[in-house]
């Protein structure tokens, strides 16, 4: 009998090709790296002119996902500041049971997990979960269409920040407090805004309100991205090679060789464990249109959080009011490094918040059983779609032909 | 109300395993007498703790090498994280109609049943007879001799002080009957009991 499914033997030669391709790509990037690094060094010597170029892009309202230098030299590095003896480190993360039109009923679940780690106290951290099931029409539909995965993700992001705002209100009176999401502060839903404007606007407004609540509580806030795929600084370096009169949309739409396929992370490998890079302003139109008017313009920096080998580079996003408050900025910087000491360059509270929030496949099944029980009690004969039923039949056991 | 020291994870008529969070200094202990409800509360399965295991955890493994680990991290791992300590219990009898039967229970306890320590009066009552010792002696995969020695000492402590030596001598005689064909093992066991 032959086992069907993913027949790995049929992919062997492709996997070999994949490995060879990765090797080739790396060799190509390594070949171009000295040129990119030299451009970085040259650009850092002309920071004022570079900033003018970046600002002219914004002034011309060109769509450009680059970065604007601040007063800090763009190739500077900053050592880990002193960590306060006592500080509250708060993180929240979310998980969900997605909306599934093949399921027995139309619903989705968002579960937010959070942790308050009281640095300097010997007590166990406080942990919370906040699960909620959504099933009303207004939860499921938007303009006659069921909510997309991105829309539900945006609602989850919103709840994560809402939980941080709630906890910041409780904790920040007691000690310096920093709140973290393990995501960008710039909502992804904004990039999809054209197809669902009023939905996105509502989410963004509430998101910015939560940022304001955190600001008023006196706590700091940051979004942290591990293995960032961003290329904002790479685009800035590409911009540095253009003359002022060459700054036109066509020249900025794509980066060309030698910058092609480079990620910012590679540029900041010079950071030693514990060091952060200079601050930059995220030069996206969404940042200017939505975040800036409320004082939440997003800045970012790169940080070597330590860990195995030469360390782990994280991208850290903060609102303007954190970037311009040295105590808050230092707290963000120091607490990430401190929290990453025993977890190889990724903050402990993030790992725990994820663990607290995650909905396992077992829990998902148990919840489905609860829903089924509720429907049966009301005289329904709930069933999944025939497609889902077929999948359950074939996926629960071994497949043989 | 009797203290709960854990909840049942899995069971059979021979033994059961319960999970608990951070062990208290007093419970659970190797050799301790515990009970779990069975038959919808009509009965209690009496058992002896014969193994306490803390499962491997990759997250903790990563933290082990960290020097000067702050107490808050340790407390988070011990108090908040759902990594159960697994406690294995050998069934040695059950309660039925107010008395104790020294035999395998008719039904095992059920998942999530509360596990409680037996109090001194229950232990004294249960060990009035010592027929249960044969269930331990011939149990597979159990450190039987160590378990007998420790549990008999714990049971002796539940006797009035003037009766403790007599209780242990009776236990020795019972073991001598059960191990009459294995004198070497008997000798080692009696030495452990210091009879």
């Amino acid at each position: 009998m032959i086992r069907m499914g993913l027949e790995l033997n049929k992919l062997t030669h492709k996997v070999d090709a994949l490995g060879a391709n990765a090797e080739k790509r790396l060799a190509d990037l390594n070949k171009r790296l000295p040129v990119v690094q030299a451009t970085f060094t040259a650009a850092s010597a002309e920071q004022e002119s570079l900033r003018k170029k970046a600002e002219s892009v914004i002034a011309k309202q060109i769509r450009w996902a680059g970065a604007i230098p601040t007063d800090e030299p763009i190739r500077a590095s900053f050592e880990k500041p002193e960590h306060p003896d006592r500080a509250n480190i708060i993180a929240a993360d979310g998980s969900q049971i997605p909306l599934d039109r093949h399921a027995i009923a139309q619903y989705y679940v968002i579960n937010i997990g959070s942790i308050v780690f009281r640095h300097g106290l010997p007590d166990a951290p406080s942990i919370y979960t906040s699960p909620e099931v959504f099933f009303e029409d207004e939860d499921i539909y938007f303009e006659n269409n069921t909510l997309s995965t991105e829309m539900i993700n945006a609602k989850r992001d919103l709840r994560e920040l809402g939980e941080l705002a709630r906890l910041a209100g409780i904790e920040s009176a007691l000690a310096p407090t920093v709140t973290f999401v393990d995501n960008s502060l710039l909502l992804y839903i904004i990039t999809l805004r054209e197809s669902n404007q009023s939905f996105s606007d509502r989410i963004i407004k509430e998101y910015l309100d939560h940022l304001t609540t955190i600001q008023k509580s006196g706590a700091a806030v940051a979004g942290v991205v591990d293995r960032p795929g961003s290329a904002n600084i790479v685009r800035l370096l590409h911009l540095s090679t253009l003359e002022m009169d060459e700054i036109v949309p066509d020249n900025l739409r794509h980066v060309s060789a030698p910058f092609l396929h480079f990620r910012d992370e590679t540029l900041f490998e010079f950071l030693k464990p514990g060091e952060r890079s200079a601050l930059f302003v995220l030069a996206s139109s969404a940042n200017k249109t939505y975040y800036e008017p409320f004082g939440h313009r997003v800045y970012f920096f790169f940080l070597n959080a330590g860990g195995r080998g030469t360390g782990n580079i994280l991208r850290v996003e903060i609102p303007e009011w954190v970037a311009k408050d040295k105590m808050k900025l230092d707290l963000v910087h120091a607490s990430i490094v401190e929290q990453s000491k025993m977890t190889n360059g990724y903050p402990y509270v993030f790992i725990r918040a994820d663990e607290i929030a995650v909905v396992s496949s077992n829990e998902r099944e148990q919840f489905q059983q609860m829903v089924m029980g509720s429907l049966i009690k009301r005289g329904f004969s709930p069933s999944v779609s025939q497609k889902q039923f077929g999948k359950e039949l074939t996926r629960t056991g071994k497949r043989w032909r | 109300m009797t203290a709960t020291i854990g909840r049942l994870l899995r069971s059979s008529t021979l033994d059961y395993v319960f999970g608990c969070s951070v062990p208290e200094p007093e419970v659970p202990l190797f050799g301790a007498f515990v009970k779990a409800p069975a038959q919808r509360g009509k009965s209690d399965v009496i058992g002896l703790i014969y193994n306490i295991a803390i499962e491997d955890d990759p997250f903790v493994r990563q933290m082990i090498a960290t020097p000067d680990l702050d107490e808050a991290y340790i407390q988070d791992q011990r108090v908040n994280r759902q990594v159960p300590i697994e406690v294995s219990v050998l069934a040695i009898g059950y309660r039925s109609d107010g008395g104790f039967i020294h035999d395998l229970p008719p039904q095992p306890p059920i998942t999530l049943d509360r596990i409680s320590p037996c109090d001194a009066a229950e232990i004294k009552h249960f060990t009035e007879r010592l027929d249960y010792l044969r269930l331990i002696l011939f149990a597979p995969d159990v450190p039987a001799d160590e378990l007998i020695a420790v549990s008999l000492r714990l049971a002796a402590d539940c006797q009035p002080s003037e009766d403790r030596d007599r209780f242990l001598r009776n236990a020795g005689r019972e073991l001598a009957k059960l191990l009459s064909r294995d004198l070497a093992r008997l000798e080692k066991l009696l030495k452990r009991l210091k009879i």
Side-chain angles (χ1 to χ4, degrees):
Chain A
M1 285 199 289
I2 301 164
R3 187 183 185 280
M4 296 301 287
L6 183 60
E7 291 186 70
L8 296 172
N9 56 320
K10 290 185 177 174
L11 294 174
T12 310
H13 67 289
K14 284 285 185 190
V15 172
D16 283 343
L18 184 155
N21 180 269
E23 186 184 19
K24 184 168 160 273
R25 185 178 297 139
L26 187 64
D28 176 46
L29 288 173
N30 281 336
K31 200 171 148 192
R32 288 186 279 129
L33 183 60
V35 182
V36 175
Q37 282 173 330
T39 311
F40 197 7
T41 308
S44 66
E46 297 174 2
Q47 178 146 340
E48 199 43 43
S49 130
L50 183 60
R51 182 155 56 181
K52 278 183 187 153
K53 286 180 182 176
E55 281 168 354
S56 85
V57 176
I58 307 299
K60 290 176 186 175
Q61 296 187 326
I62 299 172
R63 282 177 76 118
W64 179 62
I68 306 168
T70 60
D71 293 338
E72 295 179 347
I74 60 172
R75 272 196 102 250
S77 55
F78 299 84
E79 282 182 5
K80 183 197 135 186
E82 193 77 14
H83 194 291
D85 291 340
R86 172 77 184 89
N88 297 317
I89 321 297
I90 307 177
D93 203 356
S95 178
Q96 67 225 58
I97 300 176
L99 183 62
D100 179 2
R101 65 190 172 90
H102 296 289
I104 53 172
Q106 294 295 285
Y107 65 86
Y108 56 94
V109 174
I110 294 178
N111 188 37
I112 303 298
S114 54
I115 177 168
V116 179
F117 187 97
R118 297 182 183 89
H119 181 97
L121 294 182
D123 311 339
S126 301
I127 58 172
Y128 307 92
T129 59
S130 161
E132 190 157 353
V133 58
F134 299 87
F135 51 84
E136 303 281 5
D137 282 358
E138 61 266 30
D139 297 323
I140 302 285
Y141 300 103
F142 175 72
E143 293 175 354
N144 293 328
N145 294 316
T146 49
L147 255 55
S148 65
T149 304
E150 290 79 12
M151 287 166 145
I152 296 172
N153 288 347
K155 289 185 76 165
R156 188 199 61 208
D157 291 345
L158 181 63
R159 283 173 174 271
E160 287 173 8
L161 198 70
E163 174 68 356
L164 292 181
R166 180 184 79 81
L167 292 170
I170 299 166
E171 301 290 336
S172 55
L174 307 171
T177 298
V178 57
T179 60
F180 287 113
V181 287
D182 73 335
N183 215 335
S184 172
L185 283 186
L186 205 72
L187 282 169
Y188 177 66
I189 194 80
I190 295 174
T191 61
L192 309 168
R193 196 175 153 272
E194 281 158 15
S195 56
N196 46 53
Q197 188 167 338
S198 60
F199 180 88
S200 302
D201 285 351
R202 199 178 71 221
I203 295 278
I204 293 161
K205 185 189 172 304
E206 283 186 51
Y207 196 83
L208 294 169
D209 285 348
H210 288 325
L211 281 178
T212 304
T213 305
I214 295 172
Q215 182 183 12
K216 285 182 178 165
S217 77
V221 64
V224 177
V225 182
D226 188 19
R227 197 170 282 190
S230 61
N232 307 90
I233 308 296
V234 171
R235 291 190 191 94
L236 178 68
L237 296 186
H238 171 234
L239 177 74
S240 76
T241 63
L242 302 178
E243 297 299 329
M244 279 301 262
D245 58 358
E246 291 175 327
I247 299 174
V248 293
D250 277 354
N251 287 342
L252 292 176
R253 196 160 293 134
H254 306 289
V255 295
S256 52
F259 304 105
L260 195 63
H261 300 149
F262 263 97
R263 296 185 313 186
D264 292 346
E265 187 186 349
T266 320
L267 298 171
F268 292 96
E269 283 172 355
F270 66 86
L271 294 172
K272 296 191 189 84
E275 287 181 347
R276 75 162 172 89
S277 74
L279 284 165
F280 297 88
V281 177
L282 190 61
S284 84
S285 59
N287 200 14
K288 186 163 183 62
T289 310
Y290 293 100
Y291 286 65
E292 195 175 320
F294 293 90
H296 300 311
R297 187 156 76 140
V298 176
Y299 285 54
F300 67 94
F301 59 87
F302 291 88
L303 169 66
N304 187 334
R308 286 194 192 93
T310 53
N312 188 35
I313 303 287
L314 303 172
R315 176 186 160 108
V316 182
E317 294 187 355
I318 47 176
E320 186 159 31
W321 48 271
V322 174
K324 294 197 167 169
D325 181 330
K326 190 170 180 333
M327 273 181 69
K328 285 191 169 68
L329 175 61
D330 283 353
L331 179 59
V332 169
H333 180 174
S335 61
I336 293 174
V337 177
E338 181 67 28
Q339 283 278 313
S340 303
K341 267 186 184 169
M342 69 223 61
T343 40
N344 273 314
Y346 188 65
Y348 178 88
V349 284
F350 287 11
I351 297 173
R352 289 288 288 119
D354 170 78
E355 188 181 37
I356 296 160
V358 73
V359 180
S360 68
S361 56
N362 192 25
E363 288 160 343
R364 193 173 295 198
E365 277 171 31
Q366 284 176 13
F367 185 76
Q368 186 168 323
Q369 293 295 326
M370 283 167 62
V371 174
M372 190 177 282
S374 169
L375 293 173
I376 288 170
K377 233 173 15 185
R378 282 160 182 78
F380 291 99
S381 309
S383 64
V384 296
S385 71
Q386 280 307 310
K387 177 177 172 173
Q388 183 61 29
F389 181 67
K391 282 183 183 178
E392 285 172 10
L393 283 181
T394 54
R395 290 181 183 183
T396 47
K398 288 181 179 172
R399 291 164 291 170
W400 298 91
R401 185 175 70 176
Chain B
M1 190 179 163
T2 318
T4 300
I5 54 171
R7 286 187 182 271
L8 193 105
L9 287 169
R10 55 185 180 273
S11 63
S12 72
T13 45
L14 297 175
D15 57 9
Y16 52 93
V17 176
F18 70 89
C20 66
S21 53
V22 189
E24 298 298 325
E26 290 81 20
V27 286
L29 289 177
F30 176 81
F33 288 75
V34 295
K35 59 184 178 181
Q39 295 178 286
R40 291 177 181 263
K42 284 184 191 166
S43 168
D44 283 317
V45 179
I46 309 297
L48 291 176
I49 292 174
Y50 70 85
N51 194 26
I52 302 169
I54 297 166
E55 290 192 340
D56 193 10
D57 179 355
F59 190 20
V60 173
R61 192 173 275 262
Q62 193 178 28
M63 296 171 67
I64 282 169
T66 309
D68 308 324
L69 197 60
D70 282 352
E71 187 62 22
Y73 294 101
I74 297 169
Q75 288 306 312
D76 187 38
Q77 295 293 325
R78 288 184 180 169
V79 179
N80 289 333
R81 289 194 71 225
Q82 293 175 338
V83 180
I85 294 164
E86 288 200 358
V87 183
S88 303
V89 178
L90 179 72
I92 54 169
Y94 59 98
R95 183 180 54 76
S96 178
D97 298 328
F100 288 108
I101 313 291
H102 288 196
D103 213 336
L104 294 179
Q107 278 182 1
I110 310 295
T111 312
L112 291 178
D113 271 340
R114 290 170 187 273
I115 313 298
S116 317
C118 293
D119 61 30
E122 286 170 322
I123 296 172
K124 185 170 178 296
H125 188 181
F126 185 83
T127 54
E128 279 172 1
R129 290 183 300 110
L130 296 162
D131 303 343
Y132 72 93
L133 291 175
R134 86 190 140 74
L135 287 173
I136 310 174
L137 275 175
F138 304 113
D141 306 322
V142 167
D145 294 3
E146 291 79 2
L147 189 59
I148 286 174
V150 172
S151 63
L152 281 175
R153 279 203 295 271
L154 288 172
D157 288 344
C158 298
Q159 307 290 325
S161 54
E162 64 273 19
D163 291 343
R164 282 176 193 164
D165 284 346
R166 186 176 53 81
F167 172 82
L168 287 174
R169 279 197 300 277
N170 283 344
R173 276 195 283 275
E174 184 68 24
L175 289 169
K177 270 193 274 176
L178 292 165
L179 291 173
S180 58
R181 293 184 181 190
D182 192 348
L183 296 177
R185 188 179 177 191
L186 175 65
E187 189 185 355
K188 280 183 198 164
L189 239 173
L190 294 179
K191 272 185 186 164
R192 279 206 169 95
L193 284 172
K194 294 180 183 157
I195 297 172

